[in-house]
Amino acid sequence: GAGVSQTPSNKVTEKGKYVELRCDPISGHTALYWYRQSLGQGPEFLIYFQGTGAADDSGLPNDRFFAVRPEGSVSTLKIQRTERGDSAVYLCASSLMGPPNTGELFFGEGSRLTVL
Amino acid sequence: AQRVTQPEKLLSVFKGAPVELKCNYSYSGSPELFWYVQYSRQRLQLLLRHISRESIKGFTADLNKGETSFHLKKPFAQEEDSAMYYCAFTGGGNKLTFGTGTQLKVEL
């Protein structure tokens, strides 16, 4: 596709449920990032992948959050036992290369998660 | 820890007036700084980066290592400049860290 694609665009779930958010990066981009944006805040780093491996997962808030990128392209962010505080817009971005030569990040439109 | 600060949540200016969006960072090494912009109902996108030293849509930003600042400036604001602006920073080969953003509103 022409840009980074994220699905679903909106997800409403109940507290305690499991959620998966999908990101399809720009073809050929080796680096993939997940950010979380809460209301009134800037994007907050969660995890980034270089190829298939998670190069830096220091931003994941706790062990309920997990992400995979098994074939070095599409990535899935998984949230177990969702809590109301997980409600946010989850942004995915990709870049041609990762740190330290990051270059421009290309963002998707985000997945808005609401936990009731 | 590396951190970037944008002190203003909202900046309101009249069309044709100069604009300065403030950004300060905390890092002792050589940083790489960016400005990202999000227009209404559009995705977050890169506006400019300090390495390029170019002017994009009339905006410029100069890295001032002495003041640890990377303020975004434009001499004459236009209505289409209304958007959310995020300063972002990376240092030491780490991930990109964003500020909290400044909402720029250009009034007629």
Side-chain angles (χ1 to χ4, degrees), chain A residues 4 35 37 42 99 105 107 109, chain B residues 9 36 43 49 86 93 96 99:
Chain A
V4 177
Y35 283 82
Q37 188 168 22
L105 263 61
F107 281 85
E109 294 185 323
Chain B
K9 277 203 173 299
Y36 277 76
R43 59 187 70 193
R49 53 191 301 186
Y86 294 96
L96 198 60

Side-chain angles (χ1 to χ4, degrees), chain A residues 26-33 48-51 55 69 93-106, chain B residues 32 34 36 49 90 93-96:
Chain A
I26 292 173
S27 178
H29 280 193
T30 62
L32 185 147
Y33 310 78
Y48 105 84
F49 290 87
Q50 188 64 45
R69 194 187 185 198
S94 69
S95 65
L96 201 54
M97 293 183 291
N101 301 305
T102 302
E104 179 176 356
L105 263 61
F106 293 84
Chain B
E32 192 171 346
F34 307 79
Y36 277 76
R49 53 191 301 186
T90 182
N94 290 323
K95 71 276 186 180
L96 198 60

Side-chain angles (χ1 to χ4, degrees), chain B residues 78-89:
Chain B
Q78 299 173 313
E79 193 179 357
E80 55 266 30
D81 296 329
S82 294
M84 194 73 180
Y85 291 81
Y86 294 96
C87 183
F89 154 86

Side-chain angles (χ1 to χ4, degrees), chain B residues 2-108:
Chain B
Q2 60 187 50
R3 186 165 51 218
V4 60
T5 304
Q6 293 180 254
E8 302 142 328
K9 277 203 173 299
L10 173 65
L11 181 65
S12 188
V13 301
F14 286 106
K15 180 182 173 183
V19 174
E20 184 180 51
L21 299 171
K22 292 185 167 51
C23 172
N24 288 90
Y25 65 91
S26 59
Y27 182 67
S28 56
S30 293
E32 192 171 346
L33 284 132
F34 307 79
W35 278 98
Y36 277 76
V37 61
Q38 189 165 25
Y39 300 102
S40 179
R41 287 184 289 278
Q42 293 188 28
R43 59 187 70 193
L44 194 58
Q45 60 187 282
L46 178 67
L47 179 62
L48 56 80
R49 53 191 301 186
H50 90 272
I51 284 180
S52 303
R53 303 184 72 84
E54 52 189 353
S55 173
I56 305 291
K57 299 184 179 182
F59 283 96
T60 58
D62 290 318
L63 176 60
N64 184 324
K65 289 189 178 181
E67 295 182 358
T68 59
S69 68
F70 188 57
H71 303 327
L72 183 68
K73 299 178 183 179
K74 184 169 182 176
F76 308 105
Q78 299 173 313
E79 193 179 357
E80 55 266 30
D81 296 329
S82 294
M84 194 73 180
Y85 291 81
Y86 294 96
C87 183
F89 154 86
T90 182
N94 290 323
K95 71 276 186 180
L96 198 60
T97 299
F98 287 84
T100 51
T102 298
Q103 178 75 48
L104 175 64
K105 186 177 178 184
V106 180
E107 299 186 73
L108 299 175

Side-chain angles (χ1 to χ4, degrees), chain A residues 53-94:
Chain A
D56 183 350
D57 64 357
S58 61
L60 293 178
N62 52 59
D63 61 7
R64 295 187 297 106
F65 288 75
F66 189 69
V68 296
R69 194 187 185 198
E71 297 177 358
S73 179
V74 170
S75 176
T76 305
L77 178 65
K78 307 180 181 196
I79 310 173
Q80 297 177 316
R81 304 183 305 279
T82 52
E83 298 177 358
R84 292 196 181 88
D86 299 335
S87 296
V89 175
Y90 289 80
L91 296 170
C92 177
S94 69

